[in-house]
């Protein structure tokens, strides 16, 4: 663990002035908060050696988090959305707190308020955009909601502008640089944390399987790479994270792909995971009920000759979604860890051991979610590019708001396009 | 060997006054100007240089408008690249990070990726007919988001692999600096181009209002200035601010009246595949047709007229000029604060007497976003070419269903006459 190396950096260097060395010790590793391990666990494990105790604490907390994950899935999409929102707020809080600690900027005027205000604005903007699409009928019914949705961008921009002007007015002569740093820090954090969490919610609405499988693959890769590294690890992977090994990386990759295939097979059977989440006006709740799309219907595939001789079967019945799951697990295993390395580099750069101490044995929420950063964006981009095209009902809504001459122009172009393709003949036009 | 991070990273925690000033680059005033003005005192000499350069820039602006929308797009792109370069260079000088491995390459690579993404999103819509013809372009458009994301990821992974123990903090700073710069500059420039496609008047009027506000606030401040406005910019005064506001509103009103007459400025820019160029020809929308308005009583007494003919667009221009005068300056204060924070006098020395390109465009930051949001909320709905583009990408069965739904809707509204059976 790198913790012991940090004490070396506190040694003074010749020629430094007093203020230099003072700021040097201040930039030494930030003090770790009190150990949060519950007393119960501490007593139960008091006999074991320190290494195994750590292993057990991590193991128990891992099980607890996975069980929690299952419970939330059971509770449904609404609860999932709320959990995603809470995780986002906690991650934002953790990163901003690190910023404060790095820059000693607790006494900057206004800054805490402004950071939370910007978080609120950006969330308002994103939620407004998504909610308007999915809750279209509900929004059209209620007058205040309709106005809010029509002028949504303008209102969001105004709110953001107010924050921007407050920032400019709050600039204080002695602290300009610090204030600009915190402004930049807040915005980069918003960019990373808030956009990703909204992409996660988009994926969720596409079908809970698009939310569960990617996140499970990342978690599985984390655990499998750790296990393979623990038992077989020998060759270090990257200087940035000395604990990662090539054996862990490759073992984790194969284990995750297999896990993804199995999990997709199990989940594709159930409607509640496979259907897009819709808001039902009559029952005023979320429903997941539909005719499963082609992706989730069993199909026969011919096994290539190579594998035929190994397994002894000619064909296999699979869901097409399982092929996609290979792509998702591959990304989770190969590129996901780069998110982890990024976070490790970040922690080394700012000399912190963990983002926070929320989860005993694991660190902060960010520590658990660092590999998920890129996954959410990848899944969203993947769905947009390979799975579905634009949303037909959304297109109709947009069409209805156009001017009549524009509507006519589009209608005519569509008509000639369909006639070209042979879907329409001029004769059927009159029916 | 001390950690380089600690030497420069500690710059953060110190108060501003401890940080050394960055020496300005050499003066780039052309020799001819220097000779012509050698007789005058320093204050007037500065005034003349600024004046001449201002007139030069305005003429250049008019010239490019004359040359058309394509040149304007190129100009916007050129300005964007130069602004990015200026801000990144400041980052390098602040952090002494010229010797960071890879970083220059990575910054420009990210600029390229983000531009590729945005141009693909906007350009694809407007060039729909052109794009449909070429097979490879079709492929690029269909998987555009995936390709952009893959390109960005390659840059991200290169960054992670390039992290060096001694320079970790500096590298993260430059990474964040690059991303914030991209966020501010590249998104704004694309919003500018989208506004441009809406009609050149939506590009010209906001930019001219900001420039006019800049100039008239300076002039009012020069002649009447007394009460300082904000500690951040000691040269700004309340008299300049208020005088600039009223002049800009009047200017915007008049400019809107003049420009609304010409189809060239008022029509959305379209790409015609037959002539392979941009065309601005259309039936001007209601915004740009003269209408009679009854004057409220107090104006009636002043102007002695019952009614007045105005373009509705002129009312919108009041909103645009108001924003340019009241909120635009905050962009300028932001830039001033930035310059004070990093102890630089100007962003660069590209334009003699004025500083860098960023110095000229600092008030435009928020204007571009405002115009875009204004158009989206108050003027038009979704973009018709984008709707068409998305329709053409759908599965044929979906297209047929939508076609039937649309047909029913259009017949109901009376826009389409039901075909007469023979």
């Amino acid at each position: 663990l790198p913790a012991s190396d940090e004490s070396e950096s506190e040694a003074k260097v010749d020629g430094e002035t007093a203020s230099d060395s003072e700021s040097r010790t201040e930039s030494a590793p930030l003090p770790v908060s009190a150990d949060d391990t519950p007393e119960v666990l501490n007593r139960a494990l008091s006999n074991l050696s320190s290494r195994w105790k750590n292993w057990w604490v991590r193991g128990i907390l891992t099980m607890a988090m996975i069980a929690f994950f299952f419970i939330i899935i059971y509770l449904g999409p609404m609860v999932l959305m709320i959990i995603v929102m809470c995780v986002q707020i906690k991650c934002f809080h953790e990163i901003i707190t690190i910023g404060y600690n790095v820059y000693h900027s607790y006494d900057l005027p206004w800054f805490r308020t402004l950071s939370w205000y910007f978080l609120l604005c950006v969330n308002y903007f994103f939620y407004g955009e998504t909610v308007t699409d999915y809750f279209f009928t509900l929004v059209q019914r209620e007058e205040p909601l309709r106005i809010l949705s029509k002028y949504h961008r303008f209102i969001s921009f105004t709110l953001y502008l107010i924050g921007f002007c407050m920032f400019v007015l709050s600039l204080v002569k002695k602290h300009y640089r610090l204030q600009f740093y915190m402004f930049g820090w807040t915005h980069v954090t918003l960019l990373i944390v808030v956009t990703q969490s909204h992409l996660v919610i988009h994926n969720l609405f596409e079908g809970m399987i698009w939310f569960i499988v990617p996140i499970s693959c990342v978690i599985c890769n984390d655990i499998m790479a750790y296990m393979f590294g623990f038992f077989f690890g020998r060759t270090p992977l990257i200087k940035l994270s000395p604990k990662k090994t090539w054996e862990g990386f490759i073992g984790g990759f194969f284990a995750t792909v297999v896990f993804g295939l199995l999990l997709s097979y199990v989940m594709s059977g159930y409607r509640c995971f496979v259907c897009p989440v819709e808001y039902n006006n009559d029952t005023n709740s979320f429903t997941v009920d539909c005719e499963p799309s082609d992706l989730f219907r069993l199909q026969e595939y011919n096994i290539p000759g190579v594998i035929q001789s190994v397994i002894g079967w000619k064909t296999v019945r699979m869901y097409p979604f399982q092929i996609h799951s290979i792509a998702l697990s591959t990304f989770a295993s190969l590129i996901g860890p780069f998110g982890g390395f990024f976070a490790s580099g970040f922690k080394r750069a700012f000399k912190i051991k963990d983002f926070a101490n929320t989860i005993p044995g694991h660190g902060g929420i960010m520590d658990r979610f660092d590999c998920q950063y890129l996954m959410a964006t990848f899944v969203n981009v993947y769905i947009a590019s390979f799975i579905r095209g634009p949303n037909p009902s959304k297109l109709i809504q947009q069409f209805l708001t156009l001017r009549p001459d524009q509507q006519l122009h589009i209608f005519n172009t569509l008509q000639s396009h369909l006639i070209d393709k042979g879907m329409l003949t001029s004769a059927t036009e009159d029916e | 060997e001390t950690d380089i991070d600690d030497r420069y990273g500690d710059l953060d925690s110190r108060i501003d006054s401890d940080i050394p000033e960055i020496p300005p680059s050499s003066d780039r005033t052309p020799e001819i100007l220097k000779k012509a003005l050698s007789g005058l005192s320093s204050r007037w000499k500065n005034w003349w240089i600024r004046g001449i350069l201002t007139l030069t820039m305005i003429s250049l602006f008019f010239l490019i408008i004359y040359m058309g929308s394509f040149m304007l797009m190129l100009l916007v792109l050129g300005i964007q690249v130069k602004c990015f370069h200026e801000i990144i260079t400041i980052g390098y000088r602040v952090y002494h990070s010229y010797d960071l491995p890879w970083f220059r390459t990575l910054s420009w690579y990210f600029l390229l990726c983000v531009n590729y993404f945005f141009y693909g999103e906007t350009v694809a819509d407007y060039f729909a007919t052109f794009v449909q013809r070429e097979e490879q372009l079709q492929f690029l458009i269909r998987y555009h988001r995936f390709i952009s994301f893959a390109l960005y990821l390659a840059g991200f992974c290169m960054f992670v692999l390039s992290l060096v123990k001694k320079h970790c903090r500096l590298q993260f700073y430059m990474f964040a600096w690059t991303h914030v710069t991209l966020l501010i500059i590249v998104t704004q420039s694309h919003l500018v181009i989208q506004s441009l496609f809406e009609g050149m008047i939506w590009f010209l009027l906001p930019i001219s209002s900001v420039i006019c506000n800049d100039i008239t606030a300076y002039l009012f401040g020069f002649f009447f200035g007394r009460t300082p406005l904000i500690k951040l910019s000691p040269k700004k005064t309340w008299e300049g601010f208020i005088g600039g506001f009223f002049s800009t509103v009047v200017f915007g009103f008049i400019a809107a009246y003049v420009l609304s007459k010409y189809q060239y400025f008022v029509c959305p820019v379209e790409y015609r595949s037959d002539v392979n160029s941009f065309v601005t020809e259309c039936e001007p929308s209601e915004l740009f047709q003269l209408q009679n308005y009854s004057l409220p009583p107090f104006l009636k007494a002043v102007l002695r007229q019952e009614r007045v003919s105005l373009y509705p667009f002129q009312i919108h221009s009041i909103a645009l000029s108001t924003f340019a005068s009241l909120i635009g300056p905050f962009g300028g204060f932001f830039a001033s604060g930035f310059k004070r924070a990093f102890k630089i006098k100007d962003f660069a020395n590209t334009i003699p007497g004025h500083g860098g390109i960023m110095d000229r465009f600092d008030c435009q930051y928020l204007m571009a976003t405002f115009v875009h949001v204004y158009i989206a909320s108050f003027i038009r709905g979704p973009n018709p070419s984008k709707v068409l583009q998305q329709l053409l990408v759908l599965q044929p069965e979906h297209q047929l269903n939508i076609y039937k739904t649309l047909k029913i809707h259009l017949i109901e509204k009376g826009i389409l006459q039901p075909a007469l059976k023979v």
Side-chain angles (χ1 to χ4, degrees):
Chain A
L1 288 175
S4 49
D5 305 334
E6 267 121 32
S7 50
E8 298 164 7
S9 63
E10 293 173 57
K12 291 201 181 143
V13 176
D14 288 348
E16 280 185 342
T17 61
S19 58
D20 276 0
S21 51
E22 181 209 35
S23 36
R24 173 176 296 284
T25 39
E26 280 173 354
S27 67
L30 301 166
V32 175
S33 335
D35 185 12
D36 268 1
T37 325
E39 266 315 297
V40 148
L41 281 178
N42 265 332
R43 260 182 275 133
L45 304 166
S46 51
N47 293 332
L48 300 166
S49 77
S50 171
R51 182 187 187 214
W52 281 102
K53 177 173 168 190
N54 195 37
W55 213 92
W56 272 106
V57 169
R58 281 184 78 109
I60 291 175
L61 259 305
T62 307
M63 304 280 191
M65 289 193 287
I66 293 180
F68 186 61
F69 188 41
F70 280 136
I71 293 177
I72 300 173
I73 293 175
Y74 178 72
L75 287 177
M78 185 73 184
V79 178
L80 269 174
M81 268 177 68
I82 295 178
I83 295 289
V84 168
M85 176 117 174
C86 292
V87 167
Q88 174 206 98
I89 292 179
K90 189 70 179 67
C91 287
F92 183 78
H93 174 72
E94 283 179 7
I95 300 185
I96 294 290
T97 310
I98 292 177
Y100 289 145
N101 288 337
V102 169
Y103 294 115
H104 308 280
S105 41
Y106 273 115
D107 41 348
L108 273 188
W110 280 100
F111 218 80
R112 293 193 120 178
T113 323
L114 271 176
S115 304
W116 288 105
Y117 178 78
F118 281 128
L119 177 69
L120 204 74
C121 283
V122 180
N123 265 319
Y124 175 76
F125 172 68
F126 277 116
Y127 271 106
E129 298 261 315
T130 27
V131 162
T132 311
D133 295 338
Y134 291 110
F135 291 78
F136 188 67
T137 34
L138 174 70
V139 164
Q140 291 296 333
R141 266 195 328 218
E142 311 282 339
E143 253 321 287
L145 284 184
R146 204 178 62 81
I147 296 183
L148 279 184
S149 124
K150 185 167 198 288
Y151 299 110
H152 176 70
R153 287 201 175 179
F154 191 73
I155 296 173
S156 314
F157 184 61
T158 312
L159 290 175
Y160 177 82
L161 263 192
I162 293 175
F164 183 84
C165 294
M166 292 308 310
F167 170 72
V168 171
L169 292 172
S170 79
L171 288 173
V172 173
K173 188 164 184 191
K174 276 196 306 183
H175 301 294
Y176 286 147
R177 191 183 277 222
L178 281 182
Q179 290 181 293
F180 270 94
Y181 279 157
M182 286 312 294
F183 188 77
W185 191 287
T186 306
H187 278 68
V188 176
T189 310
L190 284 173
L191 191 70
I192 297 180
V193 173
V194 179
T195 49
Q196 302 274 357
S197 80
H198 279 272
L199 293 178
V200 165
I201 293 184
H202 267 283
N203 300 338
L204 178 71
F205 271 87
E206 201 55 38
M208 279 179 36
I209 200 174
W210 290 105
F211 170 81
I212 296 173
V213 168
I215 292 187
S216 320
C217 286
V218 174
I219 294 176
C220 169
N221 185 60
D222 234 5
I223 296 176
M224 290 296 150
Y226 180 77
M227 299 259 196
F228 275 87
F230 192 81
F231 290 116
F232 306 116
R234 215 152 323 189
T235 340
L237 182 60
I238 188 173
K239 267 188 288 206
L240 207 46
S241 291
K243 291 201 293 181
K244 309 276 181 191
T245 57
W246 274 103
E247 289 84 7
F249 187 69
I250 296 179
F253 167 59
F254 283 110
T256 308
V257 170
V258 169
F259 170 80
L261 279 172
L262 291 174
L263 184 69
S264 325
Y265 183 77
V266 167
M267 293 195 112
S268 300
Y270 297 91
R271 275 202 190 166
C272 65
F273 294 128
V274 149
C275 291
V277 174
E278 269 155 43
Y279 181 76
N280 200 331
N281 284 319
D282 328 323
T283 60
N284 255 4
S285 69
F286 290 102
T287 50
V288 270
D289 209 6
C290 68
E291 189 63 38
S293 81
D294 290 334
L295 270 188
F296 302 104
R297 288 199 216 149
L298 279 171
Q299 286 183 22
E300 298 263 344
Y301 287 92
N302 291 321
I303 303 186
V306 165
I307 309 184
Q308 240 179 47
S309 41
V310 172
I311 303 185
W313 287 343
K314 290 251 177 67
T315 60
V316 69
R317 286 165 61 83
M318 286 200 323
Y319 293 99
F321 179 73
Q322 291 183 272
I323 318 273
H324 291 296
S325 82
I326 298 181
L328 296 180
S329 359
T330 307
F331 184 86
S333 323
L334 297 186
I335 309 290
F338 276 89
F341 300 149
F342 186 83
S344 294
F346 181 84
K347 288 189 279 192
R348 277 172 170 263
F350 295 99
K351 302 220 192 322
I352 53 181
K353 183 179 173 302
D354 283 320
F355 279 93
N357 251 341
T358 321
I359 312 175
H362 283 268
I365 299 272
M366 273 303 278
D367 288 292
R368 287 303 92 219
F369 285 84
D370 56 16
C371 297
Q372 304 271 6
Y373 298 161
L374 304 168
M375 193 76 207
T377 319
F378 177 76
V379 174
N380 187 277
V381 167
Y382 190 86
I383 294 178
S385 303
F386 298 111
I387 307 295
R388 67 160 166 81
N391 187 355
S393 36
K394 184 172 179 179
L395 279 182
I396 293 186
Q397 289 160 26
Q398 287 183 324
F399 184 87
L400 295 176
T401 60
L402 289 172
R403 292 195 313 253
D405 57 311
Q406 292 170 324
Q407 289 181 348
L408 203 55
H409 171 70
I410 291 183
F411 180 77
N412 288 331
T413 316
L414 186 62
Q415 186 178 59
S416 34
H417 176 80
L418 284 173
I419 292 180
D420 273 346
K421 291 256 174 179
M423 302 281 306
L424 270 183
T425 60
S426 319
T428 57
E429 260 306 278
D430 296 338
E431 285 174 33
Chain B
E1 163 93 14
T2 55
D3 212 343
I4 294 188
D5 276 350
D6 289 331
R7 243 190 289 142
Y8 296 119
D10 289 341
L11 285 177
D12 318 326
S13 323
R14 294 191 222 155
I15 308 178
D16 288 347
S17 49
D18 290 343
I19 298 162
E21 246 192 66
I22 297 182
S25 335
S26 50
D27 182 14
R28 280 181 53 175
T29 325
E31 270 311 300
I32 18 165
L33 279 179
K34 275 201 190 145
K35 263 185 267 152
L37 304 166
S38 53
L40 301 164
S41 75
S42 172
R43 183 189 189 209
W44 283 102
K45 179 169 163 190
N46 196 38
W47 213 92
W48 271 106
I49 292 182
R50 283 185 77 109
I52 292 175
L53 260 305
T54 306
L55 289 173
T56 315
M57 290 193 288
I58 293 179
S59 329
L60 187 70
F61 191 41
F62 279 138
L63 188 68
I64 298 184
I65 294 172
Y66 179 72
M67 293 207 284
S69 9
F70 188 68
M71 289 306 297
L72 273 172
M73 270 177 68
L74 284 183
L75 179 71
V76 170
L77 184 64
I79 289 177
Q80 176 206 98
V81 171
K82 188 70 179 70
C83 287
F84 183 79
H85 174 73
E86 284 181 7
I87 299 188
I88 293 292
T89 311
I90 291 176
Y92 288 144
R93 276 154 55 193
V94 168
Y95 291 112
H96 307 276
S97 43
Y98 274 117
D99 41 347
L100 273 189
W102 280 98
F103 217 80
R104 291 192 122 177
T105 323
L106 271 175
S107 304
W108 288 104
Y109 177 80
F110 281 129
L111 177 70
L112 206 74
C113 283
V114 179
N115 264 319
Y116 175 76
F117 171 69
F118 276 117
Y119 272 105
E121 293 271 316
T122 34
V123 163
D125 302 338
Y126 294 109
F127 287 78
T129 36
F130 178 68
V131 162
Q132 294 296 339
R133 275 189 326 210
E134 312 279 342
E135 263 314 299
Q136 296 118 325
L137 287 185
Q138 274 257 19
F139 175 78
L140 282 181
I141 299 289
R142 182 171 275 258
Y143 300 110
H144 175 70
R145 286 200 178 184
F146 192 76
I147 296 173
S148 314
F149 184 62
L151 288 175
Y152 177 81
L153 263 193
F156 183 84
C157 294
M158 291 311 309
F159 170 71
V160 171
L161 292 173
S162 79
L163 287 174
V164 173
K165 186 168 184 204
K166 276 193 309 182
H167 306 291
C168 255
R169 192 186 278 217
L170 280 182
Q171 289 181 292
F172 270 95
Y173 280 157
M174 287 311 296
F175 187 77
W177 191 286
T178 306
H179 278 69
V180 176
T181 310
L182 286 173
L183 191 69
I184 296 179
I185 294 185
V186 181
T187 48
Q188 302 274 0
S189 82
H190 279 273
L191 293 178
V192 165
I193 291 183
Q194 278 194 302
S195 306
L196 176 71
F197 271 89
E198 197 58 32
M200 277 181 35
I201 200 173
W202 290 105
F203 170 82
L204 291 175
L205 196 70
I207 291 187
S208 329
S209 298
V210 174
I211 295 176
C212 167
N213 185 60
D214 235 5
I215 296 176
T216 47
Y218 181 77
L219 288 174
F220 273 85
F222 193 81
F223 290 116
F224 305 115
R226 216 154 320 194
T227 338
L229 182 59
I230 187 174
K231 268 189 288 205
L232 208 43
S233 290
K235 292 203 293 184
K236 309 274 183 194
T237 56
W238 274 103
E239 288 83 7
F241 187 70
I242 296 179
F245 168 61
F246 283 110
S247 334
T248 310
V249 171
V250 169
F251 167 81
F253 204 72
I254 299 176
Y257 183 76
V258 168
L259 291 177
S260 299
K261 293 199 224 253
Y262 299 93
Q263 269 191 15
Y264 181 65
F265 295 122
V266 150
C267 291
V269 174
E270 274 160 18
Y271 180 78
R272 289 275 172 81
S273 17
D274 15 328
V275 296
N276 250 8
S277 71
F278 290 99
V279 155
T280 49
E281 254 169 40
C282 65
E283 187 66 35
S285 81
E286 289 151 8
L287 270 189
F288 302 104
Q289 284 167 8
L290 276 171
Q291 286 186 21
N292 273 317
Y293 289 90
S294 346
L295 287 173
F298 64 91
L299 277 179
K300 254 195 236 180
V302 171
L303 295 170
R304 313 259 176 95
Q305 277 181 317
E306 289 257 329
R307 314 173 74 77
V308 68
S309 281
L310 283 184
Y311 293 99
F313 180 72
Q314 290 183 270
I315 318 275
H316 291 295
S317 83
I318 297 181
L320 295 179
S321 342
T322 307
F323 185 87
S325 324
L326 296 187
I327 308 292
F330 275 89
F333 300 149
F334 186 84
S336 296
F338 182 84
K339 287 189 280 193
R340 280 168 171 265
F342 296 101
K343 302 245 175 68
I344 53 181
K345 184 177 175 301
D346 285 320
F347 278 94
N349 252 338
T350 321
I351 311 175
H354 282 266
I357 300 272
M358 272 303 277
D359 288 291
R360 287 302 91 218
F361 285 86
D362 54 19
C363 297
Q364 304 271 6
Y365 297 161
L366 303 168
M367 193 75 206
T369 319
F370 177 75
V371 173
H372 175 83
V373 166
Y374 190 84
I375 294 178
S377 301
F378 298 111
I379 308 293
R380 67 160 168 86
N383 184 0
S385 20
K386 192 164 186 111
V387 175
L388 185 60
Q389 168 81 359
Q390 291 182 317
L391 272 176
L392 294 175
V393 165
L394 287 174
Q395 302 288 337
E397 309 86 53
H398 290 302
Q399 284 178 343
L400 201 57
N401 285 335
I402 292 185
Y403 173 78
K404 291 184 185 150
T405 317
L406 295 185
K407 188 168 170 185
I408 296 173
H409 170 80
L410 285 175
I411 291 178
E412 261 177 46
K413 292 262 174 177
I415 300 172
L416 192 66
Q417 302 300 323
L420 295 168
K421 294 214 192 262
V422 181

